């Protein structure tokens, strides 16, 4: 199935969890925050949050800024 | 001066200089500048993770969150909704309630949209955030921000990144006389003397990024800013002499020869 990650269409295994998506993208969960369809998903729920086709996912981190 | 701490929302800080983490040549230089500046509060931005290139280094590989209080900003947000959304993500990423709230009015001036700023601040305070708003140097606005529960107000000295210094020290003075929460000059500082002026006016602190990161030698400028903020604060506490138009001799008039 396809989901949108940070604006890019990305293929993931059907029924993937958010934790599996992060692992697939090689993103460590410690330093990021994730929104699925505009709702923030707490870090403790990454394993249980199952993704569905068409989900819009934003994964953000801290970068340099003033 | 041992007990001259900056207190924001009940949290104590020894340094009154806050610095940004943007625009450095690399993370190594940034980390060194932060160290030399003595800053304890540092601002960061919230942006999408680059999912196509996972070899890029991460800011947090160079910043010890135990040593610094991270102050995530909402830079680049032009609406209250975007700013609120960014703050919620920042809290989830950093596990802290501190946010530097900025809602911009246009790209050329980067002046705040104060209407949207107030709207966002109200929502965030209701959600338990500690809000430090970047705002215009306008006492009426600052009073509104204070009244709704902002932990500090951060009026600009001049446009972001302009290096023009404190363009309206009288407005800053009026704000200082009427606002009880910490007043922190945010934006506009270009050189150490600008930082000292802000502190001499009585500001609780100064926040800057470009003045250090954009200097020819950012590490040296970080030290200069550290010293300027300390000197400005001491000068403010010491109480300066009144300005007079004419001279007043420093040496005794009695006992002159001849």
């Amino acid at each position: 199935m396809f989901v949108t990650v940070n604006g890019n269409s990305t293929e993931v295994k059907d029924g993937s969890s958010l934790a599996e998506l992060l692992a697939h993208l090689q993103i460590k969960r410690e330093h990021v925050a994730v929104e699925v369809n505009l709702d923030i998903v707490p870090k403790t729920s990454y394993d249980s949050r199952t993704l569905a086709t068409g989900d819009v996912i934003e994964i953000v981190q801290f970068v340099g800024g003033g | 001066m041992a007990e001259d701490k900056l207190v924001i929302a009940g949290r104590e800080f020894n340094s009154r200089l806050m610095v940004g983490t943007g625009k450095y040549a690399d993370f190594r230089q940034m980390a060194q500048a932060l160290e030399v500046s003595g800053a304890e509060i540092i601002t960061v931005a919230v942006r999408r993770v680059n999912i196509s290139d996972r070899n890029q280094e991460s800011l947090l590989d160079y910043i010890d969150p135990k040593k610094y209080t991270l102050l995530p900003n909402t830079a680049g947000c032009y609406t209250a909704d975007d700013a609120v959304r960014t703050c919620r993500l920042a809290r989830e990423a950093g596990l802290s309630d501190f946010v530097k709230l900025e809602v911009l009015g246009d790209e050329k001036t980067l002046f705040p949209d104060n209407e949207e700023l107030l709207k966002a601040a109200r929502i965030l305070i209701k959600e338990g955030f500690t809000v430090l708003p970047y705002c215009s140097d306008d006492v009426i606005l600052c009073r509104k921000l204070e009244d709704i529960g902002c932990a500090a107000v951060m009026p600009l000295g001049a446009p972001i990144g302009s290096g023009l210094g404190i363009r309206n020290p009288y407005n800053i003075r009026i704000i200082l006389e009427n606002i009880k929460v910490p007043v922190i000059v945010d934006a506009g500082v270009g050189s150490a003397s600008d930082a000292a002026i802000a502190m001499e006016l009585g500001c609780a602190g100064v926040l800057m990024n470009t003045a250090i990161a954009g200097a020819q030698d950012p590490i040296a400028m970080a030290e200069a800013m550290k010293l300027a903020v300390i000197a400005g604060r001491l000068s403010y506490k010491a109480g300066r002499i009144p300005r007079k138009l004419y001279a007043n001799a420093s040496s005794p008039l009695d006992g002159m020869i001849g």
Side-chain angles (χ1 to χ4, degrees):
Chain A
M1 66 178 183
F2 281 88
V3 294
T4 301
V5 183
N6 288 357
N8 299 301
S9 184
T10 306
E11 187 165 16
V12 294
K13 211 161 43 134
D14 281 3
S16 286
S17 70
L18 185 52
E20 284 167 330
L21 172 69
L22 291 176
H24 172 66
L25 296 171
Q26 297 177 291
I27 294 169
K28 284 184 276 182
R29 66 171 75 186
E30 290 79 30
H31 296 153
V32 299
V34 182
E35 247 183 15
V36 177
N37 303 330
L38 297 178
D39 287 326
I40 289 176
V41 182
K43 286 189 205 302
T44 48
S45 304
Y46 287 180
D47 293 299
S48 57
R49 182 68 163 84
T50 309
L51 300 176
T53 191
D55 276 352
V56 177
I57 300 150
E58 291 285 342
I59 307 172
V60 300
Q61 63 180 352
F62 292 141
V63 302
Chain B
M1 290 288 284
E3 279 304 303
D4 186 33
K5 291 184 190 292
L6 168 64
V7 182
I8 301 173
R11 289 184 56 182
E12 292 187 349
F13 302 94
N14 292 305
S15 172
R16 292 175 179 276
L17 172 61
M18 304 171 198
V19 297
T21 53
K23 294 187 181 174
Y24 287 94
D26 53 45
F27 284 139
R28 229 168 289 277
Q29 185 191 56
M30 175 206 72
Q32 204 184 340
L34 295 182
E35 178 74 35
V36 168
S37 76
E40 294 165 310
I41 300 174
I42 59 172
T43 59
V44 294
V46 179
R47 291 291 181 270
R48 282 174 165 172
V49 172
N50 184 337
I51 56 168
S52 53
D53 178 9
R54 297 302 307 134
N55 292 318
Q56 286 184 0
E57 289 184 303
S58 161
L59 175 77
L60 290 184
D61 294 336
Y62 288 83
I63 292 171
D64 180 359
K66 290 190 198 76
K67 186 171 168 190
Y68 298 105
T69 296
L70 296 185
L71 185 60
N73 69 28
T74 58
C77 291
Y78 286 84
T79 64
D81 287 348
D82 279 350
V84 168
R85 186 179 171 198
T86 302
C87 288
R88 290 172 180 154
L89 283 165
R91 174 152 71 179
E92 179 62 24
L95 304 173
S96 158
D97 292 330
F98 270 55
V99 286
K100 169 181 160 177
L101 179 62
E102 54 183 295
V103 187
L104 303 172
D106 73 43
E107 289 174 18
K108 190 172 182 181
T109 64
L110 298 179
F111 280 147
D113 181 329
N114 295 310
E115 195 180 343
E116 291 292 302
L117 180 72
L118 279 163
K119 190 173 148 195
R122 281 193 187 94
I123 296 168
L124 291 166
I125 288 161
K126 208 172 282 177
E127 294 184 12
F129 283 90
T130 299
V131 178
L132 288 77
Y134 155 73
C135 60
S136 302
D137 58 348
D138 170 352
V139 71
I140 307 303
L141 171 71
C142 287
R143 188 182 290 143
K144 287 182 184 177
L145 289 165
E146 179 179 51
D147 286 347
I148 64 172
C150 289
V153 292
M154 304 207 293
L156 53 86
I160 293 172
S162 69
L164 289 172
I166 315 297
R167 296 322 304 144
N168 199 332
Y170 301 102
N171 270 12
I172 301 292
R173 274 179 59 187
I174 291 170
I175 292 168
L176 285 162
E177 284 191 10
N178 291 281
I179 299 296
K180 291 184 193 70
V181 293
V183 177
I184 296 159
V185 162
D186 176 9
V189 165
S191 66
S193 55
D194 295 332
I197 285 169
M199 296 310 295
E200 284 189 320
L201 287 168
C203 290
V206 184
L207 199 167
M208 65 183 74
N209 187 348
T210 309
I212 295 175
Q216 289 190 28
D217 183 343
I219 312 302
M221 190 58 89
E223 184 171 13
M225 292 302 183
K226 173 189 174 173
L227 296 172
V229 168
I230 293 170
R233 180 67 181 174
L234 279 168
S235 175
Y236 166 71
K237 299 277 276 189
R240 59 153 300 145
I241 59 165
R243 287 180 173 84
K244 293 186 291 272
L245 192 56
Y246 293 102
N248 185 354
S250 303
S251 305
L253 299 176
D254 293 341
M256 293 289 291
I257 54 169

